[in-house]
Amino acid sequence: MGRRILNDALRAIVNAEKRGKASVELKPISTVMSSFLKIMKDRGYIKNYQLFDPHRVGRISVELQGRVRDCKALTYRQDIKAKDIETYTKQTLPTRQWGYVVITTPDGVLDHEEAIKRNVGGQVLGYFH
């Protein structure tokens, strides 16, 4: 259920980017979604996001920057070891220069570069480029 919510939200972001919109509103929300958006913001793919009423159904308003070409969440569970992250990113992402795979680890939700640096594996949530 949670991954389906994340996938729907990421699809809404991609569709709004293709239409050239400046912002998009996402609902319902989850903590994993806000962690995913934090990584996207830290890497410069979105300008900012705001969380409204997180204790109820809630919504997130995302300011777009025009950099997201594709963004997907895996709806199935895929475990990945720390040593296999590099080969997985080579298969998934179009080039080495841009794009990130987001992994949920025991250290929290991390992108693939941070997971390699910390030498931890986990479950693949999705990717963006």
Side-chain angles (χ1 to χ4, degrees):
M1 179 81 178
R3 290 181 186 239
R4 180 59 86 190
I5 291 171
L6 179 63
N7 192 35
D8 291 345
L10 296 179
R11 290 281 89 197
I13 289 173
V14 170
N15 290 337
E17 287 272 11
K18 286 181 181 176
R19 289 187 181 92
K21 295 194 175 190
S23 66
V24 65
E25 192 170 288
L26 310 174
K27 55 184 176 183
I29 63 171
S30 67
T31 56
V32 173
M33 185 188 310
S34 42
S35 300
F36 200 100
L37 290 173
K38 182 182 181 313
I39 292 173
M40 289 180 78
K41 181 184 174 196
D42 291 344
R43 297 301 180 178
Y45 281 81
I46 60 175
K47 285 182 188 174
N48 200 3
Y49 68 96
Q50 277 188 315
L51 206 61
F52 297 102
D53 203 14
H55 301 294
R56 305 190 89 207
V57 174
R59 63 187 167 92
I60 296 178
S61 177
V62 180
E63 294 177 42
L64 302 174
Q65 197 164 335
R67 287 195 58 201
V68 179
R69 299 210 184 245
D70 193 18
C71 191
K72 290 185 182 174
L74 299 182
T75 54
Y76 54 91
R77 181 177 154 177
Q78 184 171 1
D79 297 330
I80 190 165
K81 295 178 183 174
K83 64 180 181 174
D84 299 333
I85 293 174
E86 188 75 32
T87 56
Y88 183 82
T89 56
K90 285 180 185 175
Q91 293 172 354
T92 307
L93 299 176
T95 65
R96 286 176 166 249
Q97 285 84 16
W98 39 278
Y100 295 93
V101 174
V102 180
I103 304 168
T104 178
T105 67
D107 293 350
V109 179
L110 307 172
D111 61 49
H112 71 275
E113 290 178 352
E114 189 68 27
I116 290 171
K117 196 183 325 180
R118 294 185 187 188
N119 196 26
V120 293
Q123 291 182 356
V124 178
L125 280 178
Y127 63 90
F128 60 92
H129 59 86

